[in-house]
Amino acid sequence: MSEHSIADDRLTRIFDQVCAQRGRPSIIRSDNGAEFTGKAILNWAYRNSVTLKLIEPGKPNQNAYIESFNGRLRDECLNEHWFTSLPHARVVIEKWLQEYN
């Protein structure tokens, strides 16, 4: 498994976990990444009555929430730490996420 992407079947399991904790959304807006356009996520969305809305390529302003989140993550976390390993990055980012949320 790659450490830089999420396979679509793994993504559906993550969505199930998030839905169990926070409730099921009516819409998920995402980029056009393969994990969001594959059969597994399309089937998951259909089974769960979730509408998938893809942002247009080159139009990040269509998802202002994630753009804001990405900017804060970069400014408040990524630019402030020197990660020595992937596990170290995971720990630091998870701690930041807990504070952010």
Side-chain angles (χ1 to χ4, degrees), residues 10-73:
R10 182 169 174 228
L11 183 61
T12 60
R13 289 192 305 273
I14 292 169
F15 279 173
D16 285 335
Q17 291 171 346
V18 171
C19 290
Q21 292 174 351
R22 296 185 174 222
R24 187 162 278 105
S26 57
I27 297 172
I28 295 176
R29 182 175 293 276
S30 69
D31 64 13
N32 291 291
E35 64 274 14
F36 290 107
T37 57
K39 254 187 193 174
I41 193 65
L42 295 174
N43 288 334
W44 179 91
Y46 178 78
R47 282 192 320 271
N48 290 282
S49 300
V50 174
T51 301
L52 298 177
K53 290 199 172 201
L54 302 178
I55 63 171
E56 295 175 62
K59 303 277 186 177
N61 59 335
Q62 290 180 350
N63 194 357
Y65 291 113
I66 195 62
E67 291 304 310
S68 174
F69 170 81
N70 287 344
R72 290 188 66 185
L73 173 64

